[in-house]
Amino acid sequence: MRNIAGHRRLFIRLAVLLAVSVAAEVFLFNFRYFLPLLARAQTETFSASGFTALTECEGDFQSVTVASDDAEFTVPSIGTRVYNVKINYAGNAGKDGFDVSVGVKDDDFSKETTDVGTWKVNPGVSGSNTLSVVSSGKCSSLTFTFTNVSGESLAIKSIEINRPYFHFRLGRMLLLFFILALICLIRYFKPWRIRYDEDSVWQVNLFFAVAICGILTAGLIVFASGASMQFSSDVIDQGDNYQLLTQAFSHGQLSLLTKPSSQLLALANPYDLSQRSAANVSFLWDSALFHGKYYAYYGIAPVLILLLPFRLITGFYLPTALAVLIFICIALLAMMGLYRNIIRCFFPETDFLTFISGAVVSVFGFSLLWVCGRPYFYELAVSSGLAFLLLALNMLLLLYRSPRHTTAKLFLCGLFFALMTASRINLVLYIAVAIPFLPTLLGRGGAKRKAGRATVFLAPLVFFAALLMGYNWLRFGSPLQTGAKYQLTISDIAYNKITDVSKLVNGFFHYVLQPLSVDLNFPFFHVTSETPANMTQYYYNQPIAGIFSFPIYLIVLAGAFIVRRMPRRSLKKRFAALMLIVPLVFVPVDILLGGVIMRYMLDILPVLGIAALMLWLEASDYFTRRQAGAPVAKLFACTAALTSVISLSICMLGEYSYFSNFNPVMFQRLCMLFEFWR
């Protein structure tokens, strides 16, 4: 009876929260609708015949036609306070619509026009032509300036003032209700008091629901990026190095079929961008030029494992965006598996709130989805390397957990590490994480048995090492030369040297401390590019978010203290220490040999994120044993949620805001969903 009464109270609370969500949607998120009504503001319509000061536009008695960008006109003699403005237009506004800036002359600024903002008006987005323009006192005139006009015959018919606009957005209401209901359910069931049980059906279902949400989110971001998903019997994008490499392999050669121009080969230093620009020569961007031929210097694992087999079997080229999506889905599932294995091996007493919070941040909080925002050949190398790295780490923990199928696990572990290296050569450093597992890898028994196990593990590593060195030697005459120093890019990579330590201070700032840009423009968190004042030389510097831009990583500052308190000489202690140390080695390596760009952070963030999770779980265990686990579990849940929101926000747009550029209607609908104040 007590449970029935408790559930009844829960349903009543959820019903109240649903009513609160509806009320918030009506009165809070649509507060702009009520402003002119409460103020009894006068509604007026100004026809095009009354527009004045026409610039770059043509007017008649029925409409004003916008002829080009920076077209402008003024609506004079308004004489009332303005709360919103509706632009009535006809003709072809284009699929991307147009931008309009509004200037106001009112009681506060009576002698000059003050710019109050810029809005995006899109014919595919309902209500986008109603702008929340508020004047200070009576408005004497409004000036409209049009830019980014994608249509050819945009005609402005009239301007309406203070026409109330109401739009009930079901998605926004349901999102608010979901958040409130989730908080209510957490308070009711108190999951910090429930022990995680891997045999519990509902707990396992929730865990897999998080994984499915991650995969669906990855697919949505790839779709929103506008990336091509076209299957073709020929290479469509002649700048896609992986497609060109697949084409070359299918023709039985190592160099790309594309030939460099004679003008490029005639340059004194073709690797110097200024020389290429001065001569105005065409070239294959980010390819390697060596002895008059183009090569792809990217890892060959995606080609050998996926692209080439698909081409040979079907006769079509697999779209690069789809290949990125496949590998990142594998990486997401491997990340979830790795997290669950860590719980099983080292933290079996974890409470359910901590467990499910860690699952959420593993999928959404470690920036794995960054590659989905622009799924190009650069991101294919990254996603492939991450997928095989996480699969290899899973194999290590599976070997530790169970002696069953040891030979298969050893071989797969070595194979995944080899494919990781064949995807991104710098990830070879992560093989060091296997060192604490050597006693487990070799097992018990005599020297012959141990040698046999070592051979099984090392065989794929040795095979791929020989394959890669032979591949390099056949192309560049050296087994250790990957071709990176011969790439045609923004600078001459030959001058990027590991001994150039003068860049380290700036690199530490970018990779560790550089903050995000936070504003009121959806999705509110953005990566940014900063140039430190102490910069003394050129290095590649693109938008990035430092490690400590994500709250979950702050516990790394206490990493040494927490690891030291772990059981002495335990595998957990050594594993956590290496998962902390090895990712940080990439900071100097990436800044000295590459530069600053967010996709290089993916060498660091996922593995360091797993280390951060281990630190949080260790701290939670420590305080739980002292009857103080609930506050730590709640703090971790909040930290994981905030980290996931921040990471998902920056991953949504990716490196070059492909989402907003290639799917402007979908993006603007999302903007209007969250930016209700505009």
Side-chain angles (χ1 to χ4, degrees):
M1 293 297 293
R2 183 177 301 174
N3 286 339
I4 294 175
H7 292 340
R8 186 182 296 117
R9 287 194 297 271
L10 175 62
F11 286 127
I12 292 174
R13 290 174 186 173
L14 292 176
V16 170
L17 292 178
L18 179 60
V20 168
S21 302
V22 173
E25 176 61 33
V26 172
F27 297 106
L28 175 61
F29 299 139
N30 281 282
F31 77 98
R32 294 287 187 187
Y33 170 81
F34 297 97
L35 288 180
L37 296 178
L38 293 174
R40 298 181 179 180
Q42 184 177 355
T43 301
E44 294 190 34
T45 301
F46 298 87
S47 63
S49 59
F51 297 170
T52 62
L54 274 63
T55 304
E56 298 293 334
C57 50
E58 302 172 356
D60 54 31
F61 288 102
Q62 294 185 340
S63 64
V64 168
T65 301
V66 174
S68 64
D69 272 358
D70 297 322
E72 186 176 286
F73 62 77
T74 298
V75 180
S77 307
I78 294 178
T80 187
R81 186 171 185 182
V82 174
Y83 289 92
N84 60 54
V85 172
K86 182 179 180 181
I87 302 174
N88 295 315
Y89 60 91
N92 180 16
K95 66 174 184 177
D96 296 335
F98 56 90
D99 294 340
V100 57
S101 300
V102 182
V104 176
K105 187 180 290 186
D106 53 23
D107 289 344
D108 194 10
F109 294 92
S110 59
K111 299 300 182 183
E112 60 182 15
T113 299
T114 302
D115 183 26
V116 294
T118 301
W119 287 260
K120 183 74 176 181
V121 179
N122 197 305
V125 182
S126 175
S128 64
N129 61 329
T130 298
L131 319 178
S132 298
V133 177
V134 180
S135 64
S136 300
K138 291 183 178 181
C139 176
S140 58
S141 67
L142 293 170
T143 299
F144 296 84
T145 304
F146 297 84
T147 55
N148 298 324
V149 180
S150 58
E152 298 178 355
S153 57
L154 176 62
I156 310 300
K157 300 180 68 176
S158 63
I159 300 293
E160 292 186 61
I161 305 297
N162 298 330
R163 176 74 64 186
Y165 175 77
F166 182 86
H167 189 95
F168 187 94
R169 300 187 184 276
L170 180 62
R172 182 167 56 196
M173 186 275 293
L174 291 176
L175 178 61
L176 177 62
F177 174 67
F178 171 77
I179 295 172
L180 295 177
L182 182 62
I183 295 172
C184 177
L185 291 171
I186 290 174
R187 287 175 56 85
Y188 180 79
F189 288 106
K190 297 179 173 54
W192 55 87
R193 296 181 181 175
I194 302 174
R195 178 181 169 183
Y196 165 64
D197 181 5
E198 65 179 30
D199 295 323
S200 170
V201 175
W202 68 270
Q203 292 187 18
V204 172
N205 288 341
L206 276 178
F207 177 79
F208 284 109
V210 172
I212 292 171
C213 288
I215 291 173
L216 292 176
T217 302
L220 286 172
I221 296 176
V222 169
F223 169 76
S225 72
S228 172
M229 289 289 185
Q230 181 180 350
F231 293 86
S232 173
S233 58
D234 198 6
V235 176
I236 298 176
D237 184 354
Q238 293 297 323
D240 189 327
N241 275 251
Y242 267 123
Q243 297 291 340
L244 295 175
L245 184 59
T246 304
Q247 181 188 52
F249 281 8
S250 65
H251 282 76
Q253 65 182 61
L254 302 181
S255 62
L256 306 184
L257 269 62
T258 305
K259 303 298 182 183
S261 65
S262 57
Q263 294 89 346
L264 176 65
L265 298 177
L267 295 177
N269 181 10
Y271 308 104
D272 185 342
L273 178 63
S274 62
Q275 290 190 29
R276 299 197 300 268
S277 300
N280 194 26
V281 299
S282 61
F283 63 96
L284 184 58
W285 184 265
D286 265 344
S287 64
L289 177 67
F290 184 74
H291 287 180
K293 295 180 180 180
Y294 284 132
Y295 295 92
Y297 66 90
Y298 300 92
I300 59 173
V303 178
L304 298 180
I305 295 299
L306 184 60
L307 298 181
L308 184 60
F310 187 88
R311 166 65 176 163
L312 296 177
I313 293 171
T314 67
F316 292 94
Y317 289 93
L318 183 71
T320 299
L322 183 56
V324 171
L325 180 59
I326 291 171
F327 277 117
I328 206 60
C329 287
I330 294 173
L332 289 170
L333 293 175
M335 176 64 81
M336 292 290 281
L338 177 60
Y339 171 66
R340 194 178 185 193
N341 282 322
I342 287 173
I343 294 291
R344 288 169 167 173
C345 293
F346 305 127
F347 305 100
E349 302 297 323
T350 300
D351 64 89
F352 181 70
L353 178 62
T354 299
F355 170 76
I356 201 66
S357 300
V360 170
V361 79
S362 296
V363 171
F364 298 103
F366 297 157
S367 301
L368 287 171
L369 297 175
W370 176 264
V371 298
C372 299
R374 189 198 66 167
Y376 203 32
F377 66 88
Y378 303 99
E379 287 70 26
L380 180 52
V382 173
S383 58
S384 172
L386 285 174
F388 292 123
L389 166 61
L390 295 171
L391 287 171
L393 295 178
N394 266 288
M395 285 298 113
L396 287 175
L397 289 175
L398 288 175
L399 280 164
Y400 174 72
R401 283 189 64 237
S402 171
R404 297 176 57 190
H405 310 297
T406 300
T407 302
K409 291 175 186 176
L410 282 169
F411 179 79
L412 287 175
C413 185
L415 178 62
F416 290 145
F417 273 128
L419 290 172
M420 168 199 74
T421 307
S423 298
R424 275 176 64 78
I425 188 66
N426 58 328
L427 295 181
V428 70
L429 296 174
Y430 279 121
I431 297 180
V433 176
I435 293 175
F437 293 86
L438 286 179
T440 302
L441 295 178
L442 299 178
R444 297 179 180 179
K448 185 176 181 180
R449 181 181 178 88
K450 291 182 178 181
R453 289 190 170 189
T455 301
V456 172
F457 173 70
L458 293 174
L461 286 168
V462 172
F463 173 78
F464 270 91
L467 176 67
L468 293 176
M469 287 191 289
Y471 178 58
N472 292 336
W473 181 77
L474 289 173
R475 294 182 302 162
F476 306 115
S478 169
L480 301 180
Q481 179 53 252
T482 64
K485 68 179 292 186
Y486 301 120
Q487 65 177 294
L488 302 175
T489 185
I490 198 168
S491 63
D492 191 341
I493 301 300
Y495 292 100
N496 290 6
K497 299 183 182 299
I498 196 69
T499 55
D500 191 3
V501 295
S502 60
K503 299 177 183 176
L504 285 181
V505 174
N506 291 341
F508 179 83
F509 166 76
H510 290 299
Y511 279 85
V512 180
L513 301 175
Q514 182 163 309
L516 291 163
S517 171
V518 183
D519 55 33
L520 292 178
N521 298 315
F522 180 82
F524 312 120
F525 299 96
H526 314 272
V527 293
T528 183
S529 179
E530 299 283 347
T531 302
N534 67 337
M535 179 177 174
T536 57
Q537 66 185 116
Y538 169 81
Y539 59 89
Y540 190 58
N541 187 2
Q542 294 294 307
I544 197 173
I547 292 171
F548 293 136
S549 294
F550 307 95
I552 198 78
Y553 295 101
L554 291 174
I555 198 170
V556 171
L557 295 173
F561 174 77
I562 297 174
V563 170
R564 192 169 66 248
R565 296 187 66 88
M566 290 180 179
R568 188 179 181 184
R569 295 183 179 178
S570 66
L571 178 63
K572 177 172 69 172
K573 182 172 188 174
R574 288 175 288 174
F575 182 55
L578 283 173
M579 294 287 276
L580 277 171
I581 295 169
V582 178
L584 296 179
V585 174
F586 280 93
V587 173
V589 171
D590 283 345
I591 183 62
L592 295 178
L593 297 183
V596 175
I597 191 170
M598 188 63 193
R599 67 173 177 268
Y600 294 168
M601 286 295 292
L602 294 184
D603 295 340
I604 303 169
L605 292 178
V607 176
L608 191 63
I610 289 294
L613 281 181
M614 292 186 70
L615 298 179
W616 277 103
L617 291 167
E618 183 67 19
S620 177
D621 268 9
Y622 175 83
F623 285 101
T624 298
R625 290 194 298 269
R626 286 156 180 77
Q627 308 301 315
V632 177
K634 295 174 186 177
L635 176 62
F636 175 64
C638 294
T639 305
L642 180 58
T643 299
S644 299
V645 169
I646 292 173
S647 180
L648 185 58
S649 297
I650 66 170
C651 292
M652 191 179 301
L653 290 181
E655 195 167 343
Y656 297 107
S657 302
Y658 275 32
F659 184 4
S660 60
N661 293 329
F662 290 98
N663 267 298
V665 173
M666 183 189 300
F667 182 73
Q668 190 169 357
R669 285 174 179 166
L670 274 177
C671 288
M672 295 184 69
L673 195 69
F674 291 94
E675 297 177 20
F676 62 90
W677 51 86
R678 289 178 60 85

